[in-house]
Amino acid sequence: GVFMEAHAAQMGIGAVVVIGLAIYLARLPETRRWVGRTLWSIPAIGERMRVYQLARFYRTVGMLLNGGIPVVTALAMVEGILHPTLRGLLHRAADEIREGKPISQAMETHHLTTPVSLRMLRVGERTGRMGEMMERIAGFYDEEMARWVDWFTRLFEPILMVLIGVIIGGIVVLMYMPIFELAGSIQSAPRPTPTPFKASRRCQTHAKFPTTFCNRRAPRQCARGGAWWRCWRKSSVCRRRCLPPV
């Protein structure tokens, strides 16, 4: 806190510079390609991104085939919606299909299918309803992505709550640390030596023996025993006057 207060202007300028540099780098195509390659290299996230790309691909190709466009032409038209990594694979698969290779076999060779989609492509080739099968493959991929997003949301919410709790707890601890340090310094400070109390001679004589003092002051009442509370009251007054204050 003291450091931030002493260097507030420098830290503010540094934060503005860092934010501006981050925005500039995020707009560069090289940065986007690097982020994409990094995400695709992560096993779990890369596989989900691949499934999402394939869902878009199969839905678009299915719609084009249902509209009466040939397979090779449809593959060339949807080539731009894929990630650069999958784009090269699709280009090679389209060349093999153009040479007469079955669609399912070409897609399987270049890793553009999953086990379920491969079986559905083979069914489409046998029945001649390739466009409908590709749309069903896209629907299956959409359901799989929806299940994964729901699972990730349920997992991410507790993690986010724990992270927010840790951040807020750290802020509270940082706010109370100066108070704890001040209390510790007050407790460790040396206490002043109290002034010695000096009682009067009368108190020194009779304070330790209030009953004797009371009997001397009221011999009749104490002797008779009827007004014993007066003796106790006088002895209490003597203690209050002779004992040092707390």
Side-chain angles (χ1 to χ4, degrees):
V2 177
F3 178 80
M4 293 181 64
E5 183 178 358
H7 304 81
Q10 293 84 348
M11 294 187 67
I13 296 174
V16 171
V17 171
V18 170
I19 293 174
L21 183 61
I23 295 174
Y24 172 75
L25 292 176
R27 293 182 177 180
L28 294 178
E30 294 80 4
T31 305
R32 296 181 180 180
R33 286 194 293 268
W34 177 80
V35 172
R37 289 194 302 268
T38 304
L39 293 177
W40 276 79
S41 62
I42 300 175
I45 299 178
E47 181 62 24
R48 300 304 170 185
M49 293 177 63
R50 175 174 170 270
V51 170
Y52 173 72
Q53 292 279 327
L54 291 178
R56 296 173 58 190
F57 165 71
Y58 280 112
R59 176 173 288 105
T60 308
V61 173
M63 294 173 61
L64 293 176
L65 292 179
N66 289 332
I69 298 177
V71 177
V72 178
T73 306
L75 294 178
M77 293 175 63
V78 301
E79 185 177 348
I81 68 173
L82 292 177
H83 190 266
T85 305
L86 299 178
R87 197 176 302 166
L89 299 177
L90 177 62
H91 184 71
R92 291 192 290 269
D95 291 340
E96 293 183 0
I97 295 172
R98 189 179 295 109
E99 295 174 358
K101 197 171 185 179
I103 298 176
S104 60
Q105 187 176 355
M107 295 293 183
E108 181 184 10
T109 303
H110 297 284
H111 308 285
L112 293 174
T113 59
T114 59
V116 176
S117 63
L118 178 60
R119 290 193 293 268
M120 296 179 72
L121 285 175
R122 289 173 180 174
V123 172
E125 289 176 344
R126 293 174 184 176
T127 59
R129 303 167 63 181
M130 184 60 70
E132 182 180 352
M133 283 298 157
M134 285 191 173
E135 290 186 355
R136 290 187 179 183
I137 292 172
F140 173 78
Y141 284 154
D142 288 340
E143 293 178 0
E144 184 178 355
M145 287 297 300
R147 289 192 299 267
W148 185 81
V149 169
D150 183 62
W151 172 82
F152 179 77
T153 304
R154 294 182 181 181
L155 179 65
F156 184 71
E157 286 180 356
I159 297 176
L160 182 61
M161 294 298 294
V162 171
L163 181 61
I164 293 175
V166 170
I167 295 174
I168 295 177
I171 294 174
V172 172
V173 170
L174 292 177
M175 290 176 60
Y176 278 94
M177 281 298 295
I179 299 177
F180 296 152
E181 293 177 358
L182 179 61
S185 61
I186 293 175
Q187 292 180 358
S188 61
R191 295 184 178 181
T193 304
T195 305
F197 177 78
K198 185 177 180 181
S200 61
R201 182 177 298 178
R202 180 181 179 185
C203 290
Q204 292 176 1
T205 306
H206 302 291
K208 295 182 180 179
F209 306 98
T211 306
T212 306
F213 176 66
C214 183
N215 290 341
R216 291 180 181 178
R217 293 290 301 272
R220 295 182 181 179
Q221 290 84 350
C222 293
R224 295 176 183 176
W228 57 270
W229 57 272
R230 295 181 179 177
C231 302
W232 178 254
R233 185 181 62 181
K234 291 183 178 182
S235 63
S236 302
V237 171
C238 180
R239 281 196 296 271
R240 285 198 302 269
R241 291 179 178 176
C242 297
L243 294 180
V246 179

